[in-house]
Every structure is written in C-alpha cells, then in structure tokens.
Amino acid sequence: MKTNSPVTSEQVRAGYAQHVVPSYKRSATAPVLVRGKGTRVWDADGKEYLDFGSGIAVNCLGHAHPRLAEVMKKQGEQLVHVSNLFLHPNQAELAGELVKRTGPGKVFFCNSGAEANEAMVKAARKAGAAEGRYEIITTLNSFHGRTLGMIAASGQERLREGFGPAMPGFVYVPYNDLAAVEKAIGPKTAAVMIEGIQGEGGVIPATPEYLLGLRRLTQEKGISLLMDAVQCGHYRTGRFQSYEWILESSGKKGDFLPDAISMAKSLGGGFPIGAVWFGIRLSDVLSPGTHATTYGGTALACAVALEILKIIEEEKLAENIAARGEELKKGLAQLSGKGWVGEVRGFGGMVGVTVRGKTHAEVAEALAQVGLLVVPAGSDVLRFLAPYSVSMNEVQEALQKVESTL
Ligand SMILES: Cc1ncc(COP(=O)(O)O)c(C=O)c1O
C-alpha cells in the first residue's frame, strides 16, 4: 500500500527529539507509522508491519475499520459532545450493553484506564468511609496507570521513584497468594484490587482458586473486590472478562462477580474512552457532585464503543481471537527452547513469551526489523496482542517472522 507520507522518518524523529517530552523509551529505529489497515501498518518509508501490539491492547478491530470510520463521521456530523449535566442516547445505550454483559449494576464513564481505576478506588474508599476504611490492597508487579493515585496503587516501586511522597492508603501483597491477602486485611481495608491477568507485569493470569478465594474473603470481610480489566478485559481473552475464561477453562465456572470492573483500551478500539462497571454494592456510591470528568462518555466515544460491540458480535470476533490465540500459543510453544523463545503463557489474544539470552527490547527491535510489532512487558516478556479480527494466515505469518529471528 502506498503511504503518501509528506514527511520522511528522519524529519519526524527530529521533530520528536526537539519538541516531544522524552517520557517514552523508544529505540532509535522505532518505526514512524503513517497508515494502517486491519492487522497491518505501514511506516513513512513504505515498509509493512504485522501489528501484534494493537497499540498496547487497544486496536481490537485492527486499523482503519470501515464501520468505525463511518460511525465517527456520522456521529461527528450529528453530535460530538454535550456536558454530562445533560443526557444523550448513546451513553444510556452503552451503559446498558456493558451491564448486560457483566451483571446488575451501573456504569461511570471517563477517558482512560488510569481514570477508570481512580473512579473505582474513590468509590471503594467512599463506601468504606463511615467505618474508617480507606486502604486498598493491591498486588506486587501490578500496573494500574500513571496518575499519582495509580502509581501509588501499582505494586512497582520504580513507577513512584522521583514522584514522592506517594499517596498513602495502598498495601501490596504477592499476586496469586490468597493467604497474603487474608493476612493484610485489617480494620482499615476498603477493598482488594487486582488485574485478572497482569499485563504490564508480564502476562501472568490469576488462578481460578485465587479469584474464587478473593471473592469469598472480601464478601466475608464486607469489603469490595475491584478488577482492573483495562488490558485483559473487553474480549481480549475471547471472553468479555478474563475471569470468565480463567474460571471456565479450569472447569470452575461459577457465580463469580466482582464489585467493580474498570475498562478502557479495547472499549474504544483506539478512540479514547474509559468506564467502570459498578455492581450493586457500589453502583450508587458516587452520588451527585462526588466525581466527574468533562469528557466522560461523549456521544462520539459511546457511538464508537457501541459499534465495536456490534461488530464483535456480528463477526464472531470473540470466538475468532480465542481460536487464533490458541494457534499462536501452540506455534510459539513449538518454538519454546529455541533461540530467544522461553515460556509461553496467556489466554486468547493476550499471549506472553519470556525472552532468553537477550533483552526483550532487543528482540522486539529484531522482530520489528522483520516486520512484526509486539510489546515488551515486565523484565523479560514480549506480549503478542493481535486484533480480534486477526486471520489464521496472519498468525502463521507472525510465527514465520518469529522463527526468522531465532
Ligand atoms: C491493567 C492496566 N490498568 C491501567 C492502565 C492505564 O491505562 P491508561 O494508559 O489508559 O491510563 C493500563 C495501561 O497499560 C493497564 O494495562
């Protein structure tokens, strides 16, 4: 595909070096991307890449989906934004669709994952305020965003370095360790917050026993269970929520429902939107005047999110990513032990591979050189986060590109 880029990669790199805050770690050869279609993107020099990063688990329908382009144009011509002091049909409809897929409750809309988590933590604190409960137990290695609140919530010290004093009220325990949570719960505990699959931490899924144990424990203690599903939710695993997949695939499907679930990334497929589903326990805690954001749930963002849900259903993309993810995992597992490929893990479209003998950044760069984009995570993991629409041929092509770098 012709790119028609009016600028060269060198010009763009120079523009970044001169005018863009250097807060992202990019390799010197990071591609300058100018166009996308489906699973593929092209850089300013016309080079083609298979995009198995999807942003970072964002572009669930790949790039330039014609129906998303159409809905953006149509809604853009009709109504983009009104104040949340007024109402519009799209927000009510999207909230209804999210409730239908999750369980009884209500939805708060915002613009990003970190904001969704902030809302979730505020609600849990407010629910516990009368009893003096404000502490949130989170897990080591977790990632919940980059606001001051969420770097305090994340169980990674490096995120807080230089930004002290950290916001108080977070207690960290090892992931998948139920006894540690039980020990950490005290009279000040308001909630436990976990990712169903730790994403930035290296694609580490919760065990079914941990999920069920946390639900039982938090119910017994009268505190909230909050799930950060920003990365692993919204069909990334082939199920709407990762806990459905985790519990189902271990034969432990049951009545598991947390008290709140944060969402972003795939919810908008690249158009910024975040949301929190609150179950009955927390659904009316954020009362008038207690929380807000100017842009939360605009008519345009909700129209995009609604169209994404329709496309996923009509084109059976949850089933597709579950099947393609298994093919990818199987193919990578066959390469395990060869070259840099170590352990392979994950569910559906969230696959992690540990890197041996090299750094994950070195391997990500080598893969980009052969035209495959993936995303580093943790200290030694590469994430494969293909769009839900990825084809069998594209999975095979990605595996061939991996093999060519061994
Ligand atoms: C699990 C999780 N929570 C929260 C966030 C933060 O989302 P955002 O960057 O949209 O604020 C991320 C982003 O990677 C994430 O993976």
Side-chain angles (χ1 to χ4, degrees), residues 321-385:
I321 193 59
R324 301 292 83 78
E326 279 311 301
E327 286 162 13
L328 178 67
K329 222 165 82 170
K330 221 162 132 192
L332 288 168
Q334 279 166 3
L335 300 176
S336 177
K338 295 183 189 154
W340 58 264
V341 180
E343 188 199 333
V344 182
R345 57 186 178 233
F347 289 105
M350 194 166 174
V351 175
V353 183
T354 59
V355 171
R356 312 178 319 154
K358 285 184 160 55
T359 68
H360 57 3
E362 282 169 345
V363 177
E365 206 174 330
L367 288 170
Q369 290 294 327
V370 297
L372 178 64
L373 302 181
V374 296
V375 190
S379 57
D380 64 347
V381 175
L382 286 180
R383 271 172 294 177
F384 290 69
L385 304 158

Short mmCIF file of all heavy atoms in Angstrom, two decimals, residues 321-385:
data_model
loop_
_atom_site.label_atom_id
_atom_site.label_comp_id
_atom_site.label_asym_id
_atom_site.label_seq_id
_atom_site.Cartn_x
_atom_site.Cartn_y
_atom_site.Cartn_z
N ILE A 321 -10.74 -14.57 18.13
CA ILE A 321 -9.48 -14.31 18.84
C ILE A 321 -9.16 -15.47 19.80
O ILE A 321 -7.98 -15.78 20.02
CB ILE A 321 -9.47 -12.94 19.56
CG1 ILE A 321 -8.06 -12.57 20.02
CG2 ILE A 321 -10.45 -12.87 20.72
CD1 ILE A 321 -7.03 -12.47 18.94
N ALA A 322 -10.20 -16.13 20.32
CA ALA A 322 -9.93 -17.29 21.18
C ALA A 322 -9.22 -18.38 20.35
O ALA A 322 -8.21 -18.94 20.79
CB ALA A 322 -11.24 -17.83 21.75
N ALA A 323 -9.72 -18.63 19.14
CA ALA A 323 -9.14 -19.69 18.30
C ALA A 323 -7.75 -19.30 17.78
O ALA A 323 -6.80 -20.09 17.84
CB ALA A 323 -10.07 -19.99 17.13
N ARG A 324 -7.64 -18.05 17.27
CA ARG A 324 -6.35 -17.61 16.71
C ARG A 324 -5.30 -17.54 17.81
O ARG A 324 -4.12 -17.85 17.60
CB ARG A 324 -6.47 -16.24 16.04
CG ARG A 324 -7.49 -16.12 14.90
CD ARG A 324 -7.11 -16.89 13.66
NE ARG A 324 -7.48 -18.28 13.72
CZ ARG A 324 -8.71 -18.77 13.53
NH1 ARG A 324 -9.71 -17.98 13.25
NH2 ARG A 324 -8.94 -20.08 13.58
N GLY A 325 -5.72 -17.12 19.01
CA GLY A 325 -4.80 -17.03 20.14
C GLY A 325 -4.24 -18.40 20.50
O GLY A 325 -3.05 -18.54 20.79
N GLU A 326 -5.11 -19.41 20.45
CA GLU A 326 -4.64 -20.77 20.74
C GLU A 326 -3.63 -21.23 19.68
O GLU A 326 -2.63 -21.86 20.00
CB GLU A 326 -5.82 -21.75 20.80
CG GLU A 326 -6.56 -21.73 22.13
CD GLU A 326 -5.63 -21.86 23.34
OE1 GLU A 326 -4.90 -22.86 23.46
OE2 GLU A 326 -5.62 -20.93 24.18
N GLU A 327 -3.92 -20.91 18.40
CA GLU A 327 -2.98 -21.28 17.32
C GLU A 327 -1.62 -20.61 17.53
O GLU A 327 -0.58 -21.24 17.37
CB GLU A 327 -3.55 -20.85 15.96
CG GLU A 327 -4.71 -21.71 15.48
CD GLU A 327 -5.53 -21.03 14.38
OE1 GLU A 327 -5.07 -20.01 13.83
OE2 GLU A 327 -6.63 -21.52 14.09
N LEU A 328 -1.68 -19.33 17.90
CA LEU A 328 -0.43 -18.59 18.12
C LEU A 328 0.35 -19.20 19.29
O LEU A 328 1.56 -19.42 19.21
CB LEU A 328 -0.75 -17.12 18.39
CG LEU A 328 0.46 -16.23 18.70
CD1 LEU A 328 1.35 -16.09 17.47
CD2 LEU A 328 0.02 -14.85 19.18
N LYS A 329 -0.40 -19.49 20.37
CA LYS A 329 0.24 -20.03 21.56
C LYS A 329 0.89 -21.39 21.26
O LYS A 329 2.02 -21.65 21.65
CB LYS A 329 -0.81 -20.20 22.67
CG LYS A 329 -0.31 -19.76 24.02
CD LYS A 329 -1.42 -19.58 25.01
CE LYS A 329 -1.84 -20.88 25.62
NZ LYS A 329 -2.75 -20.69 26.77
N LYS A 330 0.15 -22.20 20.49
CA LYS A 330 0.66 -23.53 20.11
C LYS A 330 1.93 -23.39 19.27
O LYS A 330 2.92 -24.07 19.51
CB LYS A 330 -0.43 -24.26 19.31
CG LYS A 330 -0.56 -25.72 19.66
CD LYS A 330 -1.87 -26.24 19.18
CE LYS A 330 -1.72 -27.53 18.43
NZ LYS A 330 -2.95 -27.87 17.73
N GLY A 331 1.86 -22.49 18.28
CA GLY A 331 3.00 -22.28 17.39
C GLY A 331 4.22 -21.78 18.15
O GLY A 331 5.34 -22.24 17.92
N LEU A 332 3.99 -20.85 19.08
CA LEU A 332 5.11 -20.31 19.87
C LEU A 332 5.65 -21.39 20.81
O LEU A 332 6.86 -21.50 21.00
CB LEU A 332 4.65 -19.09 20.67
CG LEU A 332 4.38 -17.82 19.85
CD1 LEU A 332 3.65 -16.77 20.69
CD2 LEU A 332 5.68 -17.23 19.30
N ALA A 333 4.72 -22.19 21.36
CA ALA A 333 5.15 -23.25 22.29
C ALA A 333 6.06 -24.25 21.57
O ALA A 333 6.99 -24.80 22.16
CB ALA A 333 3.94 -23.94 22.90
N GLN A 334 5.80 -24.47 20.26
CA GLN A 334 6.65 -25.39 19.49
C GLN A 334 8.07 -24.82 19.32
O GLN A 334 9.02 -25.55 19.08
CB GLN A 334 6.02 -25.68 18.12
CG GLN A 334 4.95 -26.76 18.23
CD GLN A 334 4.08 -26.84 16.99
OE1 GLN A 334 4.29 -26.13 16.01
NE2 GLN A 334 3.08 -27.71 17.03
N LEU A 335 8.17 -23.49 19.40
CA LEU A 335 9.50 -22.85 19.27
C LEU A 335 10.18 -22.69 20.64
O LEU A 335 11.33 -22.28 20.71
CB LEU A 335 9.36 -21.48 18.62
CG LEU A 335 8.74 -21.44 17.22
CD1 LEU A 335 8.58 -20.01 16.74
CD2 LEU A 335 9.61 -22.23 16.24
N SER A 336 9.42 -22.98 21.70
CA SER A 336 9.94 -22.80 23.05
C SER A 336 11.25 -23.59 23.24
O SER A 336 11.33 -24.77 22.89
CB SER A 336 8.89 -23.26 24.06
OG SER A 336 9.41 -23.15 25.35
N GLY A 337 12.26 -22.92 23.79
CA GLY A 337 13.56 -23.58 23.98
C GLY A 337 14.51 -23.34 22.82
O GLY A 337 15.69 -23.67 22.88
N LYS A 338 13.97 -22.79 21.72
CA LYS A 338 14.85 -22.48 20.57
C LYS A 338 15.14 -20.99 20.56
O LYS A 338 14.21 -20.17 20.73
CB LYS A 338 14.16 -22.84 19.24
CG LYS A 338 13.91 -24.31 19.08
CD LYS A 338 13.30 -24.59 17.73
CE LYS A 338 12.87 -26.06 17.68
NZ LYS A 338 11.78 -26.29 16.76
N GLY A 339 16.40 -20.61 20.31
CA GLY A 339 16.76 -19.18 20.26
C GLY A 339 16.30 -18.44 21.49
O GLY A 339 16.48 -18.90 22.62
N TRP A 340 15.61 -17.34 21.29
CA TRP A 340 15.22 -16.49 22.43
C TRP A 340 13.90 -16.89 23.06
O TRP A 340 13.51 -16.33 24.09
CB TRP A 340 15.16 -15.02 21.99
CG TRP A 340 14.22 -14.75 20.86
CD1 TRP A 340 14.54 -14.66 19.54
CD2 TRP A 340 12.80 -14.54 20.94
NE1 TRP A 340 13.42 -14.41 18.78
CE2 TRP A 340 12.34 -14.32 19.61
CE3 TRP A 340 11.88 -14.50 21.98
CZ2 TRP A 340 10.99 -14.08 19.32
CZ3 TRP A 340 10.54 -14.27 21.69
CH2 TRP A 340 10.12 -14.07 20.37
N VAL A 341 13.19 -17.85 22.45
CA VAL A 341 11.83 -18.16 22.92
C VAL A 341 11.85 -19.04 24.17
O VAL A 341 12.34 -20.17 24.15
CB VAL A 341 11.00 -18.86 21.81
CG1 VAL A 341 9.59 -19.17 22.31
CG2 VAL A 341 10.93 -17.98 20.57
N GLY A 342 11.31 -18.50 25.26
CA GLY A 342 11.24 -19.25 26.51
C GLY A 342 9.83 -19.79 26.74
O GLY A 342 9.24 -20.40 25.86
N GLU A 343 9.29 -19.47 27.91
CA GLU A 343 7.96 -19.97 28.29
C GLU A 343 6.86 -19.17 27.58
O GLU A 343 6.98 -17.97 27.37
CB GLU A 343 7.82 -19.81 29.81
CG GLU A 343 6.58 -20.44 30.41
CD GLU A 343 6.26 -19.87 31.79
OE1 GLU A 343 7.20 -19.42 32.48
OE2 GLU A 343 5.07 -19.87 32.17
N VAL A 344 5.78 -19.87 27.22
CA VAL A 344 4.65 -19.22 26.54
C VAL A 344 3.42 -19.35 27.43
O VAL A 344 3.13 -20.43 27.94
CB VAL A 344 4.37 -19.93 25.18
CG1 VAL A 344 3.23 -19.24 24.44
CG2 VAL A 344 5.63 -19.93 24.31
N ARG A 345 2.69 -18.23 27.63
CA ARG A 345 1.51 -18.29 28.51
C ARG A 345 0.48 -17.26 28.08
O ARG A 345 0.76 -16.37 27.28
CB ARG A 345 1.92 -18.08 29.97
CG ARG A 345 2.63 -16.77 30.18
CD ARG A 345 3.14 -16.65 31.60
NE ARG A 345 3.86 -15.40 31.78
CZ ARG A 345 5.09 -15.30 32.26
NH1 ARG A 345 5.76 -16.37 32.63
NH2 ARG A 345 5.66 -14.12 32.40
N GLY A 346 -0.72 -17.39 28.64
CA GLY A 346 -1.77 -16.41 28.35
C GLY A 346 -3.04 -17.06 27.87
O GLY A 346 -3.15 -18.29 27.80
N PHE A 347 -4.01 -16.22 27.55
CA PHE A 347 -5.32 -16.68 27.09
C PHE A 347 -5.73 -15.87 25.88
O PHE A 347 -5.59 -14.65 25.87
CB PHE A 347 -6.38 -16.45 28.17
CG PHE A 347 -6.25 -17.35 29.37
CD1 PHE A 347 -5.75 -16.88 30.56
CD2 PHE A 347 -6.67 -18.68 29.29
CE1 PHE A 347 -5.66 -17.70 31.66
CE2 PHE A 347 -6.59 -19.51 30.39
CZ PHE A 347 -6.07 -19.02 31.58
N GLY A 348 -6.32 -16.51 24.87
CA GLY A 348 -6.86 -15.81 23.71
C GLY A 348 -5.85 -14.86 23.11
O GLY A 348 -4.72 -15.25 22.81
N GLY A 349 -6.25 -13.61 22.97
CA GLY A 349 -5.39 -12.62 22.32
C GLY A 349 -4.43 -11.93 23.25
O GLY A 349 -3.98 -10.82 22.96
N MET A 350 -4.12 -12.54 24.36
CA MET A 350 -3.15 -11.96 25.30
C MET A 350 -2.11 -13.04 25.60
O MET A 350 -2.28 -13.86 26.50
CB MET A 350 -3.88 -11.54 26.58
CG MET A 350 -3.07 -10.64 27.46
SD MET A 350 -4.15 -9.89 28.71
CE MET A 350 -2.90 -9.06 29.69
N VAL A 351 -1.07 -13.05 24.76
CA VAL A 351 -0.07 -14.12 24.86
C VAL A 351 1.27 -13.50 25.23
O VAL A 351 1.69 -12.50 24.66
CB VAL A 351 0.04 -14.88 23.51
CG1 VAL A 351 1.15 -15.91 23.56
CG2 VAL A 351 -1.30 -15.54 23.17
N GLY A 352 1.93 -14.10 26.22
CA GLY A 352 3.24 -13.62 26.65
C GLY A 352 4.30 -14.69 26.43
O GLY A 352 4.03 -15.88 26.59
N VAL A 353 5.49 -14.26 26.02
CA VAL A 353 6.61 -15.18 25.81
C VAL A 353 7.80 -14.64 26.58
O VAL A 353 8.17 -13.47 26.41
CB VAL A 353 7.00 -15.26 24.31
CG1 VAL A 353 8.12 -16.28 24.11
CG2 VAL A 353 5.80 -15.61 23.46
N THR A 354 8.41 -15.45 27.42
CA THR A 354 9.61 -14.99 28.11
C THR A 354 10.79 -15.07 27.13
O THR A 354 10.87 -15.97 26.29
CB THR A 354 9.94 -15.82 29.37
OG1 THR A 354 10.11 -17.18 28.99
CG2 THR A 354 8.82 -15.72 30.41
N VAL A 355 11.68 -14.10 27.26
CA VAL A 355 12.82 -13.98 26.34
C VAL A 355 14.07 -14.50 27.03
O VAL A 355 14.35 -14.14 28.17
CB VAL A 355 13.01 -12.49 25.95
CG1 VAL A 355 14.31 -12.30 25.18
CG2 VAL A 355 11.82 -11.99 25.14
N ARG A 356 14.80 -15.37 26.31
CA ARG A 356 16.03 -15.94 26.87
C ARG A 356 17.25 -15.38 26.13
O ARG A 356 17.20 -15.20 24.92
CB ARG A 356 16.07 -17.46 26.71
CG ARG A 356 14.80 -18.18 27.13
CD ARG A 356 14.90 -19.67 26.87
NE ARG A 356 15.55 -19.99 25.60
CZ ARG A 356 16.19 -21.12 25.36
NH1 ARG A 356 16.31 -22.03 26.29
NH2 ARG A 356 16.73 -21.35 24.17
N GLY A 357 18.32 -15.13 26.88
CA GLY A 357 19.62 -14.84 26.26
C GLY A 357 19.77 -13.44 25.69
O GLY A 357 20.87 -13.06 25.29
N LYS A 358 18.70 -12.69 25.60
CA LYS A 358 18.74 -11.32 25.09
C LYS A 358 17.77 -10.50 25.91
O LYS A 358 17.00 -11.06 26.69
CB LYS A 358 18.26 -11.29 23.63
CG LYS A 358 19.23 -11.81 22.61
CD LYS A 358 18.63 -11.62 21.23
CE LYS A 358 19.59 -11.64 20.10
NZ LYS A 358 20.47 -12.64 19.84
N THR A 359 17.76 -9.18 25.72
CA THR A 359 16.72 -8.41 26.42
C THR A 359 15.46 -8.42 25.57
O THR A 359 15.52 -8.61 24.35
CB THR A 359 17.15 -6.94 26.63
OG1 THR A 359 17.21 -6.29 25.36
CG2 THR A 359 18.49 -6.84 27.33
N HIS A 360 14.32 -8.19 26.24
CA HIS A 360 13.06 -8.18 25.47
C HIS A 360 13.05 -7.02 24.47
O HIS A 360 12.50 -7.13 23.39
CB HIS A 360 11.83 -8.19 26.37
CG HIS A 360 11.73 -7.09 27.38
ND1 HIS A 360 12.63 -6.05 27.49
CD2 HIS A 360 10.80 -6.86 28.34
CE1 HIS A 360 12.26 -5.24 28.45
NE2 HIS A 360 11.16 -5.71 29.00
N ALA A 361 13.72 -5.91 24.83
CA ALA A 361 13.77 -4.76 23.91
C ALA A 361 14.56 -5.11 22.65
O ALA A 361 14.17 -4.75 21.53
CB ALA A 361 14.39 -3.56 24.62
N GLU A 362 15.65 -5.85 22.83
CA GLU A 362 16.47 -6.26 21.67
C GLU A 362 15.65 -7.14 20.73
O GLU A 362 15.68 -6.97 19.51
CB GLU A 362 17.71 -7.05 22.14
CG GLU A 362 18.82 -6.20 22.68
CD GLU A 362 19.91 -7.02 23.38
OE1 GLU A 362 19.69 -8.22 23.71
OE2 GLU A 362 20.96 -6.44 23.61
N VAL A 363 14.91 -8.08 21.32
CA VAL A 363 14.13 -9.00 20.48
C VAL A 363 12.96 -8.25 19.81
O VAL A 363 12.68 -8.47 18.63
CB VAL A 363 13.62 -10.21 21.30
CG1 VAL A 363 12.75 -11.11 20.43
CG2 VAL A 363 14.79 -11.01 21.86
N ALA A 364 12.33 -7.34 20.56
CA ALA A 364 11.22 -6.55 19.95
C ALA A 364 11.75 -5.78 18.76
O ALA A 364 11.08 -5.68 17.71
CB ALA A 364 10.63 -5.61 20.99
N GLU A 365 12.95 -5.24 18.87
CA GLU A 365 13.55 -4.48 17.77
C GLU A 365 13.86 -5.40 16.58
O GLU A 365 13.58 -5.05 15.43
CB GLU A 365 14.82 -3.79 18.27
CG GLU A 365 15.15 -2.55 17.49
CD GLU A 365 16.33 -1.76 18.06
OE1 GLU A 365 16.53 -1.82 19.29
OE2 GLU A 365 17.03 -1.13 17.27
N ALA A 366 14.37 -6.59 16.90
CA ALA A 366 14.69 -7.56 15.82
C ALA A 366 13.40 -7.97 15.10
O ALA A 366 13.37 -8.11 13.87
CB ALA A 366 15.40 -8.78 16.40
N LEU A 367 12.32 -8.16 15.86
CA LEU A 367 11.03 -8.54 15.25
C LEU A 367 10.50 -7.39 14.38
O LEU A 367 9.97 -7.63 13.30
CB LEU A 367 10.02 -8.93 16.33
CG LEU A 367 10.28 -10.27 17.02
CD1 LEU A 367 9.36 -10.45 18.23
CD2 LEU A 367 10.07 -11.44 16.05
N ALA A 368 10.65 -6.16 14.87
CA ALA A 368 10.20 -5.01 14.06
C ALA A 368 10.99 -4.96 12.76
O ALA A 368 10.45 -4.65 11.68
CB ALA A 368 10.36 -3.72 14.85
N GLN A 369 12.27 -5.29 12.82
CA GLN A 369 13.11 -5.29 11.61
C GLN A 369 12.56 -6.25 10.56
O GLN A 369 12.60 -5.96 9.36
CB GLN A 369 14.56 -5.71 11.94
CG GLN A 369 15.35 -4.69 12.75
CD GLN A 369 15.62 -3.40 11.99
OE1 GLN A 369 15.79 -3.42 10.78
NE2 GLN A 369 15.60 -2.28 12.68
N VAL A 370 12.00 -7.41 11.03
CA VAL A 370 11.45 -8.37 10.06
C VAL A 370 9.95 -8.13 9.85
O VAL A 370 9.26 -8.93 9.21
CB VAL A 370 11.71 -9.84 10.46
CG1 VAL A 370 13.20 -10.12 10.50
CG2 VAL A 370 11.05 -10.20 11.79
N GLY A 371 9.44 -7.03 10.40
CA GLY A 371 8.06 -6.63 10.10
C GLY A 371 7.00 -7.19 11.03
O GLY A 371 5.87 -7.41 10.62
N LEU A 372 7.35 -7.38 12.30
CA LEU A 372 6.34 -7.82 13.28
C LEU A 372 6.44 -6.94 14.52
O LEU A 372 7.49 -6.86 15.16
CB LEU A 372 6.58 -9.29 13.67
CG LEU A 372 5.62 -9.86 14.72
CD1 LEU A 372 4.18 -9.91 14.22
CD2 LEU A 372 6.06 -11.28 15.15
N LEU A 373 5.33 -6.28 14.86
CA LEU A 373 5.32 -5.41 16.04
C LEU A 373 4.71 -6.15 17.22
O LEU A 373 3.61 -6.69 17.13
CB LEU A 373 4.50 -4.15 15.76
CG LEU A 373 4.97 -3.29 14.57
CD1 LEU A 373 4.09 -2.05 14.43
CD2 LEU A 373 6.43 -2.87 14.73
N VAL A 374 5.46 -6.19 18.33
CA VAL A 374 4.98 -6.77 19.59
C VAL A 374 5.34 -5.79 20.71
O VAL A 374 6.00 -4.79 20.45
CB VAL A 374 5.59 -8.17 19.87
CG1 VAL A 374 5.17 -9.17 18.81
CG2 VAL A 374 7.11 -8.07 19.96
N VAL A 375 4.90 -6.08 21.94
CA VAL A 375 5.12 -5.11 23.03
C VAL A 375 5.85 -5.76 24.20
O VAL A 375 5.38 -6.77 24.74
CB VAL A 375 3.76 -4.58 23.55
CG1 VAL A 375 3.98 -3.40 24.49
CG2 VAL A 375 2.85 -4.16 22.40
N PRO A 376 6.98 -5.17 24.63
CA PRO A 376 7.66 -5.71 25.81
C PRO A 376 6.82 -5.53 27.07
O PRO A 376 5.99 -4.61 27.15
CB PRO A 376 8.94 -4.85 25.92
CG PRO A 376 9.12 -4.26 24.56
CD PRO A 376 7.74 -4.07 24.01
N ALA A 377 7.02 -6.41 28.04
CA ALA A 377 6.33 -6.31 29.34
C ALA A 377 7.25 -6.88 30.41
O ALA A 377 8.13 -7.69 30.10
CB ALA A 377 5.02 -7.10 29.32
N GLY A 378 7.02 -6.46 31.67
CA GLY A 378 7.83 -6.97 32.77
C GLY A 378 9.30 -6.78 32.48
O GLY A 378 9.70 -5.86 31.76
N SER A 379 10.14 -7.68 33.02
CA SER A 379 11.58 -7.53 32.79
C SER A 379 12.04 -8.36 31.61
O SER A 379 13.08 -8.06 31.01
CB SER A 379 12.34 -7.95 34.06
OG SER A 379 11.98 -9.28 34.38
N ASP A 380 11.28 -9.38 31.22
CA ASP A 380 11.81 -10.29 30.19
C ASP A 380 10.71 -10.92 29.34
O ASP A 380 10.85 -12.05 28.88
CB ASP A 380 12.63 -11.39 30.87
CG ASP A 380 11.78 -12.27 31.78
OD1 ASP A 380 10.64 -11.88 32.08
OD2 ASP A 380 12.25 -13.35 32.16
N VAL A 381 9.61 -10.21 29.15
CA VAL A 381 8.47 -10.82 28.43
C VAL A 381 8.11 -9.99 27.20
O VAL A 381 8.22 -8.76 27.21
CB VAL A 381 7.24 -10.92 29.37
CG1 VAL A 381 6.00 -11.44 28.63
CG2 VAL A 381 7.55 -11.84 30.54
N LEU A 382 7.70 -10.67 26.12
CA LEU A 382 7.12 -9.99 24.96
C LEU A 382 5.64 -10.35 24.91
O LEU A 382 5.27 -11.52 25.04
CB LEU A 382 7.80 -10.42 23.67
CG LEU A 382 9.21 -9.86 23.45
CD1 LEU A 382 9.77 -10.36 22.12
CD2 LEU A 382 9.23 -8.33 23.47
N ARG A 383 4.80 -9.32 24.71
CA ARG A 383 3.36 -9.55 24.59
C ARG A 383 2.93 -9.57 23.14
O ARG A 383 3.31 -8.68 22.37
CB ARG A 383 2.58 -8.43 25.29
CG ARG A 383 2.32 -8.67 26.73
CD ARG A 383 1.72 -7.43 27.35
NE ARG A 383 2.66 -6.33 27.36
CZ ARG A 383 2.38 -5.10 27.80
NH1 ARG A 383 1.16 -4.82 28.22
NH2 ARG A 383 3.29 -4.14 27.80
N PHE A 384 2.15 -10.56 22.77
CA PHE A 384 1.52 -10.64 21.45
C PHE A 384 0.05 -10.33 21.68
O PHE A 384 -0.66 -11.10 22.32
CB PHE A 384 1.69 -12.05 20.87
CG PHE A 384 3.11 -12.37 20.45
CD1 PHE A 384 4.11 -12.53 21.39
CD2 PHE A 384 3.43 -12.52 19.11
CE1 PHE A 384 5.41 -12.81 21.02
CE2 PHE A 384 4.74 -12.81 18.72
CZ PHE A 384 5.73 -12.96 19.67
N LEU A 385 -0.39 -9.17 21.18
CA LEU A 385 -1.75 -8.69 21.45
C LEU A 385 -2.44 -8.39 20.12
O LEU A 385 -2.72 -7.23 19.80
CB LEU A 385 -1.67 -7.42 22.32
CG LEU A 385 -0.90 -7.54 23.65
CD1 LEU A 385 -0.42 -6.18 24.14
CD2 LEU A 385 -1.75 -8.22 24.70
#
